Amino acid sequence: MFPNSIRSKGQSLGSFTHWFFAVIISWTFPVAINSPSIGPGNVFMFFAVMMCLQLLFSWKLMPETKGKSLEQIQKDLKIQY
């Protein structure tokens, strides 16, 4: 959903943040599961709550882009590049 003028930088940022947080989750998950003070139930509950919050965020705050061109999305969101 990045304009053509900054698409490569936006895609790079998106890819970096995706892989960065994937690494963070994969490193902390086994530690949290095996921690007696946290436990597996709390870890899975945390991830379940986060996914519900992400669903609500996407459903309520993210604009619908299906069937729209980048130019139309820019116009709808009042983005100037």
Side-chain angles (χ1 to χ4, degrees):
M1 205 168 123
F2 296 103
N4 290 334
S5 61
I6 61 167
R7 181 166 295 166
S8 62
K9 291 178 183 176
Q11 294 291 1
S12 297
L13 177 64
S15 179
F16 171 77
T17 55
H18 170 80
W19 284 106
F20 178 77
F21 285 108
V23 166
I24 296 296
I25 289 170
S26 66
W27 284 353
T28 58
F29 185 78
V31 174
I33 288 284
N34 294 320
S35 170
S37 61
I38 299 174
N42 290 331
V43 173
F44 282 104
M45 181 62 71
F46 172 77
F47 285 119
V49 168
M50 289 297 113
M51 291 306 298
C52 290
L53 291 175
Q54 187 258 339
L55 175 65
L56 291 173
F57 173 80
S58 299
W59 182 37
K60 293 292 186 181
L61 298 176
M62 298 299 290
E64 177 61 60
T65 59
K66 182 178 179 182
K68 295 182 180 180
S69 67
L70 284 175
E71 293 76 17
Q72 183 62 41
I73 295 169
Q74 284 179 326
K75 182 180 173 188
D76 292 347
L77 297 176
K78 297 173 181 64
I79 298 173
Q80 299 297 320
Y81 286 100

